[in-house]
Amino acid sequence: MHLPSSLLLLAASLPLGMAAGKGKGNGKNCKGLDVLAKKAGLKYFGAATDSPGQRERAGYEEVYPQYDQIMWESGEFGQTTPTNGQKWLFAEPTRGVFNYTEGEIVTSLAKKHGMYLRCHALVWHSQLAPWVESTTWTADELRKVIVDHITNVAGHWKGQCYAWDVVNEALNEDGTYRQSVFYKVLGEEYIKLAFKTAAAVDPQAKLYYNDYNLESPSGKTAGAQRIVKMLQAEGIKIDGVGLQAHLVAEGHPTLDQHIDAIKGFTDLGVEVALTELDIRLTLPATAENLALQKEAYKNAVGACVQVDGCVGVTLWDFYDPFSWVPYVFPSEGAATLWFEDFTKHPAYDGVVEALTNKTSNGK
């Protein structure tokens, strides 16, 4: 998720007040999205979750019992990703000083409940500890910083992660490299170094490149394909590409665009996952834009089901009050599948339809 650092430590959030136009997905014939996903041939259907009491979750303690029942015990989800706790800002706030306290909150719950764990993220330009960006590095120094960080963080969770998002959001929209602190000093070498190091430290984990706006063919999608080919050409392990899928209801990709984008990666021999799926709409929610959102969710999930090599779907949290969207896009929201009162969006039924009506050329 591309969350600006200025928003990291927000202490509270306000209810979205989404009463107008609210739909109530009924989830007919649904025994849990993860159950349906597995029947459709996926490994999992999951939801990312943040640490209790932190950021968007602060001030909502009274809803935690109901939220936790859905998250951990309902059968809706079989996978999770820690929204924040494993990121550089939290895991290595001071050089050489590692703190796994927050990251362990979600990872321990995943283990307790037998869920797949996607680990997120090792090298990213955002949510960095300030010392990384404020230092003028030589190439050798920054190489050591990257290796030390991955060795310690991936080493701490060695053997526990189905996958690691090794490098996150390295590209501009046109497919050129983002001018991060890592790229400015090392060029594309930093990507190679990160994947090499992660492969050595946690050889069991699937290693992913993860980015947003890869959900339909574009210059950025081609740039991500270039990264895959670059690593493969040098014999460096890369197992997957994560399509974050932060989408917009009023302008979402078609089913065919999703399929073409996914196949563009699976044809290279790597797996694909939708790693941060949410679909925001212009507030207030109305019957019309909730219907567009339902179609958008159905297209995204349906494409994953229909393409061999797309292994799973992760929502970027499932509960509207805990979504990052309103802080970054103040006029938009209602991006998940559960409203503030825990009724379901119509899009929930779109996901069910996608998971239960796969075509014959599916998995």
Side-chain angles (χ1 to χ4, degrees):
M1 185 183 79
H2 43 295
L3 184 61
S5 7
S6 61
L7 300 173
L8 296 179
L9 302 178
L10 284 170
S13 59
L14 297 174
L16 293 181
M18 295 302 302
K22 185 179 292 185
K24 295 187 178 181
N26 55 36
K28 289 181 179 178
N29 303 317
C30 181
K31 299 178 181 178
L33 298 178
D34 187 60
V35 175
L36 297 180
K38 288 182 169 71
K39 287 183 178 179
L42 303 183
K43 289 184 181 294
Y44 60 81
F45 195 101
T49 190
D50 206 356
S51 305
Q54 300 298 312
R55 293 164 287 272
E56 289 88 353
R57 293 191 63 171
Y60 278 91
E61 284 74 12
E62 72 282 356
V63 306
Y64 286 0
Q66 190 169 2
Y67 176 91
D68 288 345
Q69 192 280 327
I70 296 171
M71 179 70 221
W72 304 111
E73 299 174 5
S74 66
E76 297 284 6
F77 308 120
Q79 174 273 331
T80 194
T81 304
T83 306
N84 283 294
Q86 294 177 311
K87 293 172 181 174
W88 203 311
L89 175 64
F90 303 101
E92 193 183 2
T94 302
R95 185 174 184 182
V97 178
F98 294 89
N99 186 343
Y100 304 120
T101 302
E102 185 167 353
E104 279 295 325
I105 293 171
V106 174
T107 58
S108 62
L109 284 166
K111 183 176 182 180
K112 176 182 177 181
H113 294 281
M115 291 189 178
Y116 281 105
L117 176 67
R118 291 197 83 261
C119 294
H120 174 82
L122 291 171
V123 179
W124 184 29
H125 70 277
S126 186
Q127 290 184 262
L128 271 176
W131 63 268
V132 183
E133 292 185 286
S134 63
T135 304
T136 300
W137 301 104
T138 67
D140 285 343
E141 287 172 336
L142 191 56
R143 289 187 192 104
K144 178 171 173 48
V145 165
I146 292 170
V147 169
D148 287 350
H149 182 78
I150 294 174
T151 299
N152 282 274
V153 176
H156 178 79
W157 282 290
K158 179 180 180 180
Q160 299 180 53
C161 305
Y162 169 77
W164 265 109
D165 291 329
V166 179
V167 174
N168 199 45
E169 300 177 8
L171 297 169
N172 296 315
E173 292 306 300
D174 63 358
T176 59
Y177 285 113
R178 184 190 296 273
Q179 295 295 307
S180 66
V181 60
F182 304 108
Y183 186 78
K184 287 178 181 178
V185 177
L186 295 172
E188 64 185 13
E189 179 196 346
Y190 89 88
I191 299 173
K192 302 174 188 178
L193 179 62
F195 276 89
K196 282 181 184 176
T197 306
V201 172
D202 192 359
Q204 296 179 47
K206 302 279 189 179
L207 304 185
Y208 270 64
Y209 174 72
N210 192 53
D211 214 328
Y212 61 96
N213 290 347
L214 302 183
E215 296 76 34
S216 57
S218 67
K220 193 172 192 180
T221 306
Q225 293 171 355
R226 185 186 70 241
I227 289 174
V228 173
K229 294 174 185 177
M230 173 187 72
L231 295 172
Q232 291 175 333
E234 299 207 15
I236 299 170
K237 173 181 163 76
I238 178 169
D239 300 292
V241 174
L243 281 55
Q244 291 183 10
H246 294 298
L247 304 174
V248 179
E250 293 88 350
H252 59 269
T254 66
L255 176 65
D256 286 343
Q257 286 173 325
H258 277 295
I259 289 173
D260 287 347
I262 294 170
K263 283 185 174 179
F265 295 111
T266 59
D267 286 350
L268 297 178
V270 294
E271 67 181 41
V272 168
L274 306 184
T275 56
E276 305 183 18
L277 176 62
D278 55 28
I279 304 178
R280 62 189 186 269
L281 48 79
T282 301
L283 300 177
T286 65
E288 290 75 21
N289 60 22
L290 287 168
L292 290 172
Q293 184 185 59
K294 177 180 179 180
E295 179 184 25
Y297 266 103
K298 185 175 180 180
N299 285 350
V301 176
C304 186
V305 170
Q306 291 183 40
V307 180
D308 287 326
C310 190
V311 300
V313 176
T314 307
L315 305 176
W316 205 243
D317 218 310
F318 67 89
Y319 182 50
D320 283 346
F322 295 171
S323 171
W324 66 286
V325 168
Y327 298 107
V328 180
F329 304 100
S331 64
E332 299 174 283
T336 77
L337 294 183
W338 272 260
F339 288 109
E340 185 178 338
D341 63 359
F342 290 104
T343 58
K344 296 168 184 169
H345 288 226
Y348 182 97
D349 290 332
V351 172
V352 172
E353 291 169 16
L355 294 173
T356 54
N357 294 291
K358 70 186 185 74
T359 61
S360 60
N361 68 337
K363 299 193 188 305

